Amino acid sequence: MIRLSFILIILFYSCSNSTILQCGDLLTLYAEKPIELEFLECSTEKGQVIMRSKYRVLGKDSKKIEQILISKYGLGKLKFNCCGWESQKYGEINSSMIKEINPNFSILITMYGNAEKKDKNNTIHIEKDRNEIPYFYVIVEIVEV
């Protein structure tokens, strides 16, 4: 009987915690979202990634957002690789709210920008000037570790 009660308590705890998480603007819910970031979408995932939110920022504002994410969340500096810009390491958002939901949850953040750009003749070229890249993207994920 004690075993059954223990199992029911664990089941209730895990079920009640999973319903607290709502897909949406994860930066607004659990951190600080810079005004230049536009929330695009949120998706629930399977496996280690629980939820993923996607944002975008104009190329002309990408350096400012990169600096904010580096200083606030430890994001790695963006580096140009092959066909675009990508952060060298994930940043981490420390949120006591997310730890209360589940102590095994962490929030990771990364940033990237695709440098492939079409010209007037529909020919693709690589644009290295960040100001000329239409959008950079920021991904925020709740992961279970």
Side-chain angles (χ1 to χ4, degrees), residues 43-62:
S43 59
T44 54
E45 305 293 326
K46 294 182 180 174
Q48 192 174 5
V49 176
I50 308 299
M51 243 171 241
R52 179 179 292 126
S53 284
K54 185 175 184 179
Y55 304 82
R56 72 180 181 183
V57 61
L58 293 171
K60 69 179 183 69
D61 294 326
S62 67

Side-chain angles (χ1 to χ4, degrees), residues 79-86 88 113-116 124-128:
K79 181 178 176 185
F80 190 83
N81 290 320
C82 170
C83 307
W85 297 88
E86 58 187 45
Q88 295 304 291
N114 183 356
E116 295 178 337
I124 295 177
H125 71 280
I126 302 298
E127 179 61 67
K128 290 191 177 181

Side-chain angles (χ1 to χ4, degrees), residues 2-122:
I2 292 175
R3 232 180 185 168
L4 180 60
S5 297
F6 182 71
I7 291 171
L8 288 174
I9 289 170
I10 289 175
L11 255 166
F12 174 76
Y13 175 76
S14 64
C15 289
S16 64
N17 278 346
S18 64
T19 59
I20 294 173
L21 282 178
Q22 293 182 2
C23 214
D25 182 345
L26 297 177
L27 278 177
T28 298
L29 292 169
Y30 301 109
E32 293 178 44
K33 180 175 78 171
I35 195 164
E36 296 85 358
L37 278 180
E38 176 189 358
F39 171 69
L40 296 176
E41 63 187 12
C42 182
S43 59
T44 54
E45 305 293 326
K46 294 182 180 174
Q48 192 174 5
V49 176
I50 308 299
M51 243 171 241
R52 179 179 292 126
S53 284
K54 185 175 184 179
Y55 304 82
R56 72 180 181 183
V57 61
L58 293 171
K60 69 179 183 69
D61 294 326
S62 67
K63 288 181 185 177
K64 177 182 178 183
I65 295 302
E66 175 189 11
Q67 287 307 310
I68 291 170
L69 299 181
I70 287 171
S71 65
K72 282 188 180 238
Y73 307 121
L75 180 78
K77 187 171 173 55
L78 268 65
K79 181 178 176 185
F80 190 83
N81 290 320
C82 170
C83 307
W85 297 88
E86 58 187 45
S87 58
Q88 295 304 291
K89 69 174 182 123
Y90 280 86
E92 186 169 359
I93 297 169
N94 293 316
S95 168
S96 57
M97 288 172 52
I98 205 74
K99 292 294 184 188
E100 285 178 20
I101 294 170
N102 185 328
N104 296 322
F105 284 174
S106 287
I107 304 176
L108 302 178
I109 187 166
T110 191
M111 183 174 177
Y112 68 92
N114 183 356
E116 295 178 337
K117 195 172 175 185
K118 291 183 181 179
D119 63 16
K120 297 175 195 172
N121 300 324
N122 229 13

